[in-house]
């Protein structure tokens, strides 16, 4: 893969990394940037191309750094700006890209801007946040953190007014109508680009503007502003990777691609994610067919980003009531597994630690349209700890080996306990053990990534779901120029036969992408058989 291509991200595999959890280089119990540098070779070997780092900036950490208190520095637990620069350089030396987090919608209430803003009505920073004398405004705007918040307004005694916040009440929303704030945001972006970052994951962008009479999501003013920011970024560093966190239905998400060149080049596909789990639980493909049929084509220059899990709850916002009930029933049997509108568990425990299902979902991840992200630890099948509060259940230390702190840290006390239960504990699930075992999930993930990268169709291809009478089998067809890959997934726990109409490829051979073995010849009735939860990738040609 050429790293210099402007659209390198189309062929890339991304890795989401929580610095605090990864490797503690200075023995203070918190992972840090120098620790990440120690692990770059591991990431290179895994085969990923870019690392998305969760928030790094100074913060009181009431929302793990998504509550920013200084946009220009590094949190002391993580190191210093010089360490960050070193990380970028070391990553680049290995051909890895670094994606930073850009939290634009809000700050911490401990940010000096907010401290000033709340101090008096005529403070010059007053207008940098959204204030009102009434908490009745924007009554139609939904609350996102339903477990902890009862309103999007919080009363502030100093000036007797309410401030607006879409997330926690300690995260006041910035006011993007203010030109000075907008100028400041450009400085922030330039600061990080000058440090060498290759791009940003842009947090919570649908909520930047508020307008009376709307639900304050996806409104025109927000799109206009994102275009303004994109054009500024294009001036300083064209080709910057910009990934928007837009947790919306496809029809509301697509407008963030703009005309293909003037807004977001990349967006997460949120609604497909829970349906991958649902399809496997039901043993049938209907919910995936439904959401993909509802997903319009996107501009040629743009790309979806797909994922199985991330640092947040497995969100169930973009599903129907029935689908949500099904998901809770199946995947969150205990109340403490739920949070807000979602499930705070990791991939392997969600799937009952069934390796067949873990592999099946990863196969879908790698063959759906777009760029896949792997959440740290999922490549070794790490577990979660639902006894920790909030989303910390899925943010525990990376399990490197079976030594007392699992090779994560030499400290006496860690920011969070290492997982130690029978099924997922670090004695059993760790990188060193999986390195030594050729049949491990880690080796398998490396192979999966490697084979994905041998096919430009995966990442760059035109995507199609083929029809099949057998509803337990899900065939994804990806084609790019001469490269055609058919990925079949058996969603059920039974053997399945399927007949596919491949007349357009008549007489061409279907060879297993992993073994090279020819398994069939394309015809109008191409018969194939899959074992329970098996997947097959076939190269056609
Ligand atoms: C995003 C982040 C989440 C955070 C929220 C508020 O959704 O992914 O972790 O809590 O924004 O900043």
């Amino acid at each position: 893969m050429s790293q210099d291509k402007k659209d390198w991200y189309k062929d890339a595999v991304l890795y989401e990394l929580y610095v605090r959890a990864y490797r503690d280089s200075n023995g203070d119990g918190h992972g840090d940037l120098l620790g990440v540098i120690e692990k770059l070779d591991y990431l290179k070997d895994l085969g990923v191309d870019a690392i998305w780092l969760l928030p790094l900036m100074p913060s009181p950490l009431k929302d793990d750094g998504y509550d920013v208190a200084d946009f220009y520095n590094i949190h002391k637990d993580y190191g210093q700006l010089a360490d960050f620069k070193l990380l970028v350089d070391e990553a680049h030396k290995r051909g890895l890209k670094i994606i930073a987090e850009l939290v634009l919608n809000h700050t911490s209430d401990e940010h000096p801007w907010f401290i000033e803003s709340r101090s008096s009505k005529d403070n010059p920073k007053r207008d940098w946040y959204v204030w009102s004398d009434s908490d009745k405004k924007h009554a139609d705007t939904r609350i996102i953190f339903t477990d902890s918040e009862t309103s999007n307004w919080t009363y502030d005694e100093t000036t007797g007014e309410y401030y607006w916040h879409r997330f926690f009440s300690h995260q006041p929303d910035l006011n993007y109508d203010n030109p000075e704030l907008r100028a400041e945001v450009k400085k922030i972006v330039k600061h990080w680009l000058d440090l060498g970052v290759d791009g940003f994951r842009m947090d919570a962008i649908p909520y930047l503007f508020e307008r009376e009479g709307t639900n304050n999501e996806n409104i025109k003013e927000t799109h206009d502003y994102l275009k303004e920011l994109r054009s500024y970024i294009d001036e300083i560093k064209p080709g910057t990777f910009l990934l928007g966190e837009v947790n919306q239905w496809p029809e509301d998400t697509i407008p963030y691609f703009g005309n293909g060149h003037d807004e977001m080049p990349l967006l997460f596909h949120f609604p497909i994610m829970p349906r991958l789990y649902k399809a496997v639980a039901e043993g049938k493909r209907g919910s995936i067919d439904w959401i993909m049929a509802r997903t319009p084509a996107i501009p040629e220059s743009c790309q979806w980003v797909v994922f199985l899990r991330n640092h947040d709850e497995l969100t169930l916002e973009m599903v129907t009531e029935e689908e949500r009930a099904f998901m809770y029933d199946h995947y969150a049997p205990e109340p403490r597994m739920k949070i807000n509108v979602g499930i705070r568990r990791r991939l392997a425990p969600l799937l009952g630690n069934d390796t067949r299902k873990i592999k099946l979902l990863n196969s879908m991840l790698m063959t759906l349209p777009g760029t896949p992200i792997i959440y740290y630890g999922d490549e070794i099948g790490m577990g979660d700890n639902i006894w920790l509060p909030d989303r910390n259940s899925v943010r525990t230390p990376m399990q490197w080996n079976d030594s007392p702190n699992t090779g994560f840290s030499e400290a006496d006390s860690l920011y969070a306990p290492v997982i130690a239960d029978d099924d997922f504990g670090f004695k059993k699930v760790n990188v060193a053990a999986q390195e030594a075992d050729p049949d491990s999930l880690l080796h398998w993930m490396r192979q999966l990534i490697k084979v994905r990268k041998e096919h430009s169709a995966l990442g760059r291809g035109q995507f199609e779901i083929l029809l099949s009478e057998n509803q337990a089998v899900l065939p994804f067809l990806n084609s790019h120029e001469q490269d055609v890959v058919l990925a079949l997934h058996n969603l059920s726990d039974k053997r399945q036969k399927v007949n596919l109409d491949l007349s357009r490829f008549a007489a061409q051979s279907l060879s297993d992408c992993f073994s090279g073995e020819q398994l069939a010849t394309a015809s109008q009735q191409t018969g194939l058989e899959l074992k329970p939860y098996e997947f097959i990738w076939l190269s056609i040609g």
Side-chain angles (χ1 to χ4, degrees):
M1 188 190 85
S2 160
Q3 290 281 328
D4 300 314
K5 265 195 217 154
K6 241 174 138 193
D7 59 356
W8 59 269
Y9 48 77
K10 287 205 167 184
D11 306 295
V13 174
L14 269 45
Y15 189 85
E16 179 184 356
L17 190 155
Y18 179 40
V19 177
R20 191 175 304 279
Y22 218 58
R23 163 74 189 142
D24 170 16
S25 74
N26 63 353
D28 67 355
H30 300 267
D32 46 50
L33 294 168
L34 297 180
V36 178
I37 296 177
E38 289 178 32
K39 299 299 180 186
L40 287 175
D41 291 331
Y42 166 78
L43 293 166
K44 186 71 194 167
D45 282 353
L46 182 57
V48 300
D49 304 280
I51 307 166
W52 153 30
L53 302 169
L54 291 182
L56 299 172
M57 298 167 186
S59 156
L61 301 178
K62 290 183 192 157
D63 186 11
D64 232 337
Y66 285 95
D67 46 335
V68 177
D70 172 359
F71 283 101
Y72 294 95
N73 277 300
I74 296 287
H75 192 286
K76 59 174 181 14
D77 292 347
Y78 293 150
Q80 305 174 359
L81 278 175
D83 301 341
F84 182 73
K85 184 81 188 94
L86 189 63
L87 169 60
V88 170
D89 292 345
E90 289 295 320
H92 286 172
K93 269 189 212 161
R94 292 164 175 83
L96 297 167
K97 310 263 185 195
I98 295 288
I99 311 300
E101 187 78 45
L102 191 60
V103 187
L104 296 179
N105 181 65
H106 45 264
T107 68
S108 160
D109 60 359
E110 293 179 32
H111 194 294
W113 301 341
F114 188 67
I115 294 174
E116 279 197 51
S117 183
R118 83 193 318 180
S119 67
S120 78
K121 284 188 186 170
D122 49 20
N123 184 282
K125 292 273 185 320
R126 183 65 168 183
D127 190 45
W128 282 37
Y129 293 85
V130 182
W131 292 96
S132 164
D133 55 8
S134 155
D135 63 351
K136 301 287 174 288
K137 259 189 181 174
H138 306 313
D140 289 340
T141 302
R142 74 184 165 120
I143 293 166
I144 295 171
F145 286 164
T146 49
D147 283 2
S148 48
E149 304 300 323
T150 50
S151 168
N152 287 317
W153 292 107
T154 289
Y155 184 68
D156 192 53
E157 276 184 0
T158 320
T159 53
E161 285 196 331
Y162 299 85
Y163 62 87
W164 178 250
H165 53 86
R166 289 307 304 276
F167 295 92
F168 290 120
S169 58
H170 58 72
Q171 282 166 326
D173 273 33
L174 287 161
N175 175 19
Y176 278 86
D177 280 317
N178 183 296
E180 282 172 31
L181 169 71
R182 289 153 71 138
E184 184 73 28
V185 167
K186 288 182 180 167
K187 276 199 220 155
I188 294 166
V189 166
K190 180 157 187 326
H191 172 76
W192 292 96
L193 288 176
D194 288 349
L195 284 165
V197 301
D198 301 284
F200 299 104
R201 181 253 191 194
M202 297 176 57
D203 188 62
I205 51 173
Y207 321 118
L208 297 181
F209 278 77
E210 299 74 36
R211 285 293 180 270
E212 207 54 69
T214 73
N215 68 358
N216 294 312
E217 301 194 6
N218 319 318
I219 63 179
K220 181 180 178 301
E221 288 77 359
T222 293
H223 285 289
D224 290 347
Y225 171 67
L226 289 170
K227 291 192 169 88
E228 180 186 321
L229 196 60
R230 165 76 188 266
S231 100
Y232 174 72
I233 293 170
D234 279 351
E235 272 168 38
I236 16 181
K237 197 166 174 183
T240 296
F241 174 103
L242 297 173
L243 165 59
E245 188 208 18
V246 176
N247 185 358
Q248 302 282 330
W249 290 101
E251 59 272 24
D252 295 322
T253 307
I254 296 275
Y256 288 86
F257 286 125
N259 67 10
H261 300 281
D262 64 352
E263 218 174 310
M264 288 295 126
L266 296 120
L267 294 165
F268 289 107
H269 197 310
F270 272 95
I272 182 74
M273 182 275 297
R275 292 178 174 84
L276 301 175
Y277 292 89
K278 182 163 181 275
V280 173
E282 289 180 321
K284 39 180 212 226
R285 54 183 276 178
S287 49
I288 296 179
D289 284 326
W290 184 79
I291 196 66
M292 291 316 286
R294 202 173 155 171
T295 301
I298 66 173
E300 162 65 30
S301 51
C302 294
Q303 181 91 331
W304 288 118
V305 171
V306 286
F307 59 100
L308 299 173
R309 285 298 292 115
N310 63 18
H311 65 291
D312 286 327
E313 66 274 32
L314 189 168
T315 168
L316 297 175
E317 284 162 288
M318 297 303 135
V319 295
T320 62
E321 292 283 332
E322 290 88 340
E323 288 175 318
R324 191 173 306 131
F326 178 91
M327 286 293 290
Y328 276 143
D329 209 36
H330 197 89
Y331 288 112
E334 290 180 39
R336 66 168 55 245
M337 293 172 174
K338 298 181 191 174
I339 187 172
N340 298 319
V341 188
I343 303 174
R344 46 191 215 104
R345 303 180 72 193
R346 260 190 189 266
L347 177 68
L350 278 165
L351 299 174
N353 212 11
D354 183 333
T355 311
R356 298 170 306 172
K357 293 186 192 171
I358 295 172
K359 291 182 176 176
L360 183 73
L361 259 82
N362 273 299
S363 165
M364 292 199 264
L365 175 74
M366 295 285 163
T367 56
L368 277 167
T371 298
I373 299 196
I374 298 165
Y375 183 49
Y376 89 91
D378 281 349
E379 74 274 24
I380 55 168
M382 252 169 68
D384 48 43
N385 180 350
I386 56 169
W387 299 96
L388 296 175
D390 200 344
R391 292 150 290 170
N392 300 342
S393 49
V394 299
R395 301 178 186 177
T396 60
M398 177 71 182
Q399 295 170 198
W400 295 107
N401 58 43
D402 65 0
S403 71
N405 282 340
T406 191
F408 159 69
S409 168
E410 280 74 53
D412 292 335
S413 110
L414 308 183
Y415 78 92
V418 169
I419 303 248
D421 61 39
D422 290 347
D423 293 330
F424 298 101
F426 67 99
K427 295 270 183 212
K428 190 167 162 193
V429 178
N430 66 64
V431 171
Q434 296 199 14
E435 290 280 9
D437 173 4
D439 294 327
S440 66
L441 185 62
L442 179 61
H443 279 289
W444 181 84
M445 286 294 288
R446 283 190 187 136
Q447 184 66 9
L448 187 77
I449 294 171
K450 181 171 162 280
V451 173
R452 176 185 153 103
K453 289 206 183 154
E454 288 164 2
H455 294 279
S456 65
L458 302 176
R460 263 171 211 277
Q462 281 289 326
F463 176 82
E464 197 183 324
I465 304 189
L466 298 186
L467 296 174
S468 66
E469 242 167 54
N470 185 338
Q471 290 301 297
V473 178
L474 185 64
F476 293 159
L477 186 74
N478 283 286
S479 353
H480 178 247
E481 296 167 0
Q482 297 313 307
D483 189 39
V484 182
V485 177
L486 171 65
L488 296 171
H489 301 96
N490 178 359
L491 302 167
S492 80
D493 60 357
K494 311 244 162 14
R495 280 187 93 87
Q496 299 289 346
K497 287 190 178 161
V498 67
N499 271 312
L500 296 175
D501 179 358
L502 297 178
S503 35
R504 68 183 119 157
F505 303 111
Q508 296 189 39
S509 62
L510 306 180
S511 327
D512 188 300
C513 294
F514 293 83
S515 67
E517 189 189 341
Q518 186 179 337
L519 295 185
T521 304
S523 69
Q524 201 184 353
Q525 287 249 333
T526 319
L528 290 153
E529 198 172 326
L530 292 109
K531 293 183 207 127
Y533 299 119
E534 192 187 17
F535 76 89
I536 308 178
W537 293 4
L538 296 165
S539 173
I540 306 185

